[in-house]
Amino acid sequence: MGEAIRIIGIDPGLRRTGWGIVESLGNSLRFVASGTVRSDDKAALALRLCQLHDGLAEILHAGMPHEAAVEQTFVNKDAAATLKLGQARGIAMLVPARAGLVVAEYAPNAVKKAVIGVGHGDKKQIHMMVKVLMPKATFDSDDAADALAIAICHAHHRQSIAYRMAALAG
């Protein structure tokens, strides 16, 4: 059947960046780990970005994922907050890219659709379905649960891509 693929999902945020690692083998998913990297909200922006970078780099080193997935930024009404979120998202993409991983990006609605079946839903629905799909999953924050949902989304999308590629080759 092949090797299990370890996927890290990352939910970027300047205060809290959630991460979740799953293993995908065929149609099965297995929870590996999840957590939250936090930055000091009293520190300067550059230091906070360093804290996120160092925390994610440590997790990638320990978790040894093969692929990464990051949620795309949504634009909100506060331009300054959107810009800061974009900078945190840049760190969330840079760290796995520097580790040699291909980084996939998914819109929030695509993540919700992959996990709960529809493109709109609240955090409670996402958390409940993450627990249904992976009963052993634990998460210390909403951000970590969202990161697991992003990893699940990537596992589903990568399978359909691999299936199409195999069909074309066969």
Side-chain angles (χ1 to χ4, degrees):
M1 184 189 281
E3 296 277 322
I5 301 297
R6 194 169 274 208
I7 300 165
I8 184 166
I10 303 172
D11 182 31
L14 186 56
R15 269 190 233 136
R16 294 175 312 275
T17 290
W19 60 272
I21 300 175
V22 301
E23 280 187 352
S24 174
L25 180 59
N27 288 331
S28 69
L29 284 174
R30 185 178 74 83
F31 170 75
V32 175
S34 71
T36 308
V37 176
R38 291 174 169 80
S39 73
D40 178 1
D41 61 355
K42 292 174 182 45
L45 178 60
L47 180 59
R48 294 177 74 185
L49 294 172
C50 283
Q51 291 169 341
L52 294 177
H53 175 279
D54 295 347
L56 280 175
E58 195 173 299
I59 288 152
L60 258 71
H61 179 72
M64 298 175 46
H66 303 107
E67 299 177 5
V70 176
E71 189 170 61
Q72 290 176 341
T73 302
F74 63 91
V75 178
N76 60 40
K77 294 175 183 157
D78 182 354
T82 301
L83 182 59
K84 288 177 183 177
L85 176 59
Q87 291 167 323
R89 189 170 174 278
I91 297 297
M93 294 180 69
L94 172 71
V95 172
R98 294 277 311 190
L101 305 181
V102 173
V103 181
E105 302 175 69
Y106 296 98
N109 287 351
V111 174
K112 290 174 184 173
K113 188 166 186 170
V115 176
I116 62 176
V118 292
H120 300 283
D122 63 21
K123 289 196 179 288
K124 285 182 184 177
Q125 288 175 300
I126 292 169
H127 298 177
M128 182 186 74
M129 282 307 297
V130 166
K131 289 296 280 182
V132 167
L133 294 169
M134 292 182 299
K136 294 182 180 180
T138 59
F139 30 88
D140 64 357
S141 70
D142 287 346
D143 305 291
D146 290 347
L148 284 169
I150 295 162
I152 292 167
C153 176
H154 181 66
H156 291 317
H157 281 271
R158 77 174 306 281
Q159 282 182 334
S160 63
I161 292 166
Y163 177 79
R164 286 193 302 256
M165 295 301 286
L168 289 172

